[in-house]
Amino acid sequence: MHLFESFFPNEIQSSTYEIPFEEWYEKGYRGVIFDIDNTLVPHGADADERSIALFTRLREIGYKTMLLSNNKEPRVKRFNEPIGSGYICKAGKPGERNYLKAMEGMGTTRENTLFVGDQLFTDIWGAKRVGLYSILVRPLDPREEIQIVMKRYLERIVLFFYEKEKRKKKTG
């Protein structure tokens, strides 16, 4: 096992809005847990037409959804108002408790829940710790708070080894 493997996502997509959710539904997935900032909208932004349309589409497909954010309630609630998803704020990611609580709230299991987020050391690590299929998306907005900028440098190292491991599995 590689030193960084516990941080490796199951897959990487360039954007949340490019994930083929219909295909995942056909494979038996029924719930999606999302991070908000830089996953669905730029950091601190309200829901926009694209994010509202995504949640409408997910409901039409048949998914249950949950927002899992380390932000405080006023920010999460404001984002969620036009979306109408379940949500958990001050989630304490990468701690496991609220990932489990999110699945409980949706009535889903580890086997049929996807997780989508933009940060390896909070979002993806937490999802992997509870056994969820995790999709890392590229951050929507390059302007971020200094503590996140510092984490991004470390993420680049982990992603270098992720890509190296992926190439090795393809050729080996």
Side-chain angles (χ1 to χ4, degrees):
M1 182 165 141
H2 193 278
L3 171 69
F4 295 126
E5 208 168 303
S6 58
F7 301 110
F8 288 176
N10 292 96
E11 70 176 71
I12 297 175
Q13 291 283 339
S14 57
S15 165
T16 299
Y17 300 98
E18 292 179 16
I19 297 170
F21 288 106
E22 290 80 0
E23 290 174 24
W24 287 108
Y25 195 84
E26 285 172 25
K27 292 177 186 175
Y29 286 85
R30 295 298 179 260
V32 189
I33 302 171
F34 290 97
D35 173 53
I36 299 173
D37 285 324
N38 263 340
T39 298
L40 293 166
V41 292
H43 192 85
D46 289 340
D48 55 14
E49 284 180 27
R50 190 163 71 154
S51 56
I52 295 166
L54 173 66
F55 280 81
T56 301
R57 178 176 139 223
L58 291 170
R59 269 191 290 281
E60 287 168 358
I61 296 168
Y63 281 107
K64 298 273 191 266
T65 60
M66 190 68 74
L67 303 172
L68 191 63
S69 175
N70 284 347
N71 274 298
K72 294 181 179 124
E73 186 159 26
R75 190 277 180 273
V76 177
K77 190 175 180 183
R78 189 179 75 239
F79 173 83
N80 188 52
E81 274 170 5
I83 299 255
S85 176
Y87 69 85
I88 297 171
C89 50
K90 295 199 295 194
K93 294 180 288 184
E96 299 173 27
R97 186 171 60 91
N98 283 315
Y99 288 86
L100 299 170
K101 189 175 167 188
M103 285 185 279
E104 190 181 305
M106 294 187 296
T108 61
T109 64
R110 297 167 207 260
E111 295 76 30
N112 69 3
T113 304
L114 296 169
F115 180 85
V116 181
D118 73 303
Q119 290 191 55
L120 286 179
F121 301 123
T122 51
D123 299 330
I124 301 304
W125 188 29
K128 285 199 67 167
R129 290 171 70 190
V130 295
L132 297 179
Y133 190 92
S134 61
I135 302 172
L136 178 71
V137 294
R138 302 283 180 214
L140 288 171
D141 188 353
R143 294 166 299 154
E144 297 180 297
E145 297 168 6
I146 189 67
Q147 70 271 18
I148 295 172
V149 171
M150 300 306 283
K151 280 194 255 179
R152 296 286 184 209
Y153 286 110
L154 297 172
E155 284 184 359
R156 283 192 202 115
I157 295 165
V158 174
L159 291 172
F160 169 82
F161 287 103
Y162 168 82
E163 294 296 338
K164 191 175 170 182
E165 197 70 22
K166 229 169 83 173
R167 283 192 301 275
K168 199 164 79 179
K169 284 179 182 167
K170 271 186 187 168
T171 58

